[in-house]
Amino acid sequence: MRYVDFLDRGAELFGEQDAVRSSEIVWTYDDLVAITHRIARGLQRDGFTPGEPVAIWTPNHPRGFACQFGAARAGQPWIPVNARNGIEENVAVLTRLGARHLFFHPSVAADAARALAEVPTLRSAVQLDGLPVLDGVPTFEDWLPGPGPTVTCPTGPDDVVMLPSTSGTAGRPKGVRHTNRGFEAMVANYQSLMHYETNPVTVAAAPLTHAAGYFATTLLSQGGTVVTLPAPEPLAIMQAIEEHRATTLFLPPTLIYTMLAHPRVGDFDYSSLRYMIYGGAPMATHKLREAIDVFGPVLAQTYGLTEAPVVLGFLLPRDHVEALADPAKERRLLSCGRPGPFTEIAIADDDGRLLGVGERGEIVCRGGTVMAGYVDDPEEDARAFAHGWFHTGDIGERDAQGFLYVVDRKKDMIISGGFNVYPAEVEQVVWDHPAVQDCAVIGVPDDRWGEAVTAVVELKPGAELDTAELIATLRARLGGVKTPKSVRVVDALPRSAAGKVLKRVIRETYWKGRDRVI
């Protein structure tokens, strides 16, 4: 099945049920399908042909969601542009991927105007909402063709349907080619792992340009309803769960932490939830316990990358519950689960040799969800697919029961005094301190150690931290090699638009002007 086929299947089975809701728009499946055909005809009318990329630049919005399917129906790959990225990065992405047309929300109009001026391939644009704000750019309602014939999607299983970009946390963002076949495998993975007694409802609070959008797409063939929130505001999320009887949502750990700290977290009914899925970063184990106490036994973790979207690994709610109940299984709370049924995962050394249980190496994978390759980057393709596997860049290990543990990013490993230190292990312990909201552990240059383990810490609002006391606590639990030599408190850790802590940015402060960064 192709990307648009999952929406069409939902319409066949659940045509009069709500497909998308926002504070201003409610569309049934029949409504949404009809709009996507009109979008596809509008692109064809304007002279666009299959294979020409269409960019969608908006916070979460029903029309932006519809444009994803309208572009795919016309055979045009869509480029998800994260509205919280910097303008320089977004212009660079659109230029690199050769965007031909732009759908944008008025809240990013100034950035869209700059893109139209600076991206040489952009030919036209449409504003998705509100009164016109850019000269010569029509609004969605003015641009959209009237009702008419349906559009036959011209793509096949191996045609590219989506062109996301890597986050740039480890360097320059790269364009990624995902096919219809890849989405089919992703949906199969999801639906084999997540089950519902009723039609699911997902609150899309995290960006639909990222994992939240993948979850939303997979629910469509099951008659799911996508409730879009324009921003990931904790109170609005909690209210939406109760109001819409949400069954599913995807959130980064930092947002779950913020919700747990909110004074009104206990005011709402969360009994409809079946899956509160977190990903993009590990979650502190004591926070998992707290979240399960508040939201119920519904916490689930997914592991994936832009190049190999979820579900590479999935830690089910029952896995969390069993780990909390049995001290012998508690370590599983540090795991990102077991492979999805349509994904193969292994651990490999630098020579491509597959490693055994408990051995640490690079996580490699293969299967239908893995990208078709990078955009115009054969050298990166050769590196990424060496030895017949996709190389994730993550260091990990597997236990005898098949649970996968992501120890760290390959490039994040610290070599201090000749010993390898994996920051994620240290961060798990730092997170346990009651004053710590979030942290990043990095190596900084040191004449004696080569790299000195350093914890950069963001505190909870109003909290204070005795750094000497924290270091002493860490030493007792971690030993001398892994314990940070110093703890530095910052107002806020730098994060990507997807909420990931940008260790690269933190390191630059300490390694600036040096010939090496390790």
Side-chain angles (χ1 to χ4, degrees):
M1 291 179 68
R2 298 162 302 182
Y3 180 71
V4 296
D5 292 334
F6 295 103
L7 169 60
D8 291 346
R9 175 63 57 83
E12 290 173 7
L13 300 177
F14 310 100
E16 295 183 357
Q17 293 186 21
D18 289 353
V20 183
R21 296 179 197 152
S22 73
S23 60
E24 300 176 351
I25 292 173
V26 177
W27 284 334
T28 66
Y29 273 85
D30 289 340
D31 294 334
L32 180 58
V33 167
I35 289 167
T36 65
H37 280 284
R38 293 167 68 185
I39 292 169
R41 284 193 293 109
L43 292 168
Q44 292 176 340
R45 175 201 61 203
D46 292 351
F48 294 101
T49 58
E52 293 187 289
V54 170
I56 303 170
W57 193 343
T58 175
N60 291 348
H61 193 286
R63 291 195 181 107
F65 192 55
C67 286
Q68 299 174 12
F69 292 93
R73 200 178 290 284
Q76 297 181 241
W78 61 279
I79 302 170
V81 184
N82 196 314
R84 288 182 284 170
N85 280 350
I87 177 61
E88 299 288 348
E89 180 176 343
N90 281 340
V91 166
V93 166
L94 294 178
T95 300
R96 178 167 178 76
L97 299 182
R100 303 294 198 276
H101 177 80
L102 174 63
F103 291 105
F104 71 92
H105 190 268
S107 63
V108 298
D111 289 347
R114 181 168 167 184
L116 287 166
E118 296 183 14
V119 178
T121 54
L122 270 179
R123 288 166 37 194
S124 59
V126 170
Q127 179 182 311
L128 290 175
D129 201 5
L131 298 174
V133 293
L134 296 181
D135 291 340
V137 175
T139 65
F140 185 78
E141 296 295 342
D142 290 338
W143 174 85
L144 193 69
T150 59
V151 173
T152 300
C153 180
T155 61
D158 296 314
D159 287 316
V160 175
V161 69
M162 181 185 180
L163 292 168
S165 290
T166 59
S167 65
T169 53
R172 177 177 61 88
K174 297 181 287 289
V176 172
R177 297 185 293 124
H178 283 305
T179 64
N180 284 305
R181 192 186 301 275
F183 270 94
E184 182 180 49
M186 182 188 68
V187 172
N189 262 330
Y190 273 135
Q191 294 193 359
S192 65
L193 291 166
M194 298 193 302
H195 308 116
Y196 300 94
E197 297 80 28
T198 60
N199 295 89
V201 177
T202 183
V203 174
L208 285 167
T209 50
H210 288 70
Y214 295 129
F215 278 102
T217 299
T218 63
L219 298 180
L220 291 177
S221 65
Q222 298 174 285
T225 300
V226 180
V227 179
T228 65
L229 298 183
E233 199 282 314
L235 180 59
I237 296 169
M238 296 185 291
Q239 291 172 328
I241 293 170
E242 178 177 280
E243 177 183 352
H244 298 280
R245 302 297 296 159
T247 62
T248 311
L249 71 161
F250 172 86
L251 299 171
T254 52
L255 192 50
I256 296 176
Y257 298 163
T258 306
M259 291 167 64
L260 291 172
H262 196 281
R264 294 194 59 195
V265 68
D267 293 349
F268 302 98
D269 179 4
Y270 307 116
S271 61
S272 61
L273 282 176
R274 295 295 173 266
Y275 300 96
M276 177 179 275
I277 304 159
Y278 63 96
M283 237 180 121
T285 54
H286 74 285
K287 291 291 189 183
L288 284 173
R289 293 179 182 276
E290 184 181 354
I292 289 173
D293 286 343
V294 171
F295 300 112
V298 296
L299 269 288
Q301 183 183 175
T302 185
Y303 167 63
L305 302 89
T306 304
E307 297 95 329
V310 283
V311 198
L312 286 184
F314 200 71
L315 192 68
L316 292 161
R318 68 169 180 263
D319 296 325
H320 287 77
V321 173
E322 289 176 3
L324 287 170
D326 185 351
K329 297 179 180 178
E330 186 174 7
R331 182 172 181 257
R332 290 181 187 173
L333 294 176
L334 301 175
S335 167
C336 62
R338 291 189 268 203
F342 301 97
T343 301
E344 191 174 2
I345 291 179
I347 307 296
D349 65 15
D350 290 342
D351 296 322
R353 182 175 65 91
L354 300 186
L355 304 177
V357 169
E359 293 185 279
R360 288 184 176 179
E362 184 172 8
I363 300 171
V364 296
C365 63
R366 57 191 178 192
T369 62
V370 178
M371 67 172 181
Y374 293 111
V375 175
D376 299 326
D377 205 336
E379 290 185 4
E380 279 295 307
D381 282 348
R383 179 202 60 77
F385 289 99
H387 311 295
W389 295 78
F390 174 73
H391 291 249
T392 66
D394 288 334
I395 297 293
E397 63 179 80
R398 295 179 71 179
D399 66 19
Q401 290 73 43
F403 285 90
L404 178 68
Y405 297 81
V406 181
V407 178
D408 227 310
R409 290 291 296 172
K410 191 173 184 179
K411 294 181 179 179
D412 284 349
M413 186 179 71
I414 301 166
I415 303 176
S416 184
F419 293 95
N420 293 344
V421 177
Y422 296 98
E425 292 182 88
V426 184
E427 288 163 353
Q428 279 287 342
V429 183
V430 177
W431 278 328
D432 281 344
H433 194 284
V436 173
Q437 176 79 8
D438 207 348
C439 72
V441 172
I442 62 169
V444 303
D446 186 272
D447 291 338
R448 180 181 179 185
W449 302 105
E451 292 182 89
V453 180
T454 301
V456 183
V457 172
E458 176 183 325
L459 301 182
K460 293 178 180 177
E464 296 182 356
L465 179 67
D466 182 335
T467 58
E469 178 268 333
L470 175 59
I471 290 173
T473 300
L474 296 175
R475 185 175 299 277
R477 294 181 61 179
L478 295 169
V481 172
K482 297 177 182 179
T483 295
K485 298 296 186 288
S486 65
V487 174
R488 308 185 185 190
V489 177
V490 297
D491 292 335
L493 294 168
R495 292 182 174 85
S496 72
K500 292 184 179 180
V501 174
L502 295 170
K503 290 188 178 180
R504 168 177 52 84
V505 174
I506 300 171
R507 284 196 198 95
E508 287 172 355
T509 303
Y510 303 100
W511 292 92
K512 187 179 297 183
R514 292 176 176 260
D515 294 331
R516 63 181 182 89
V517 292
I518 57 174

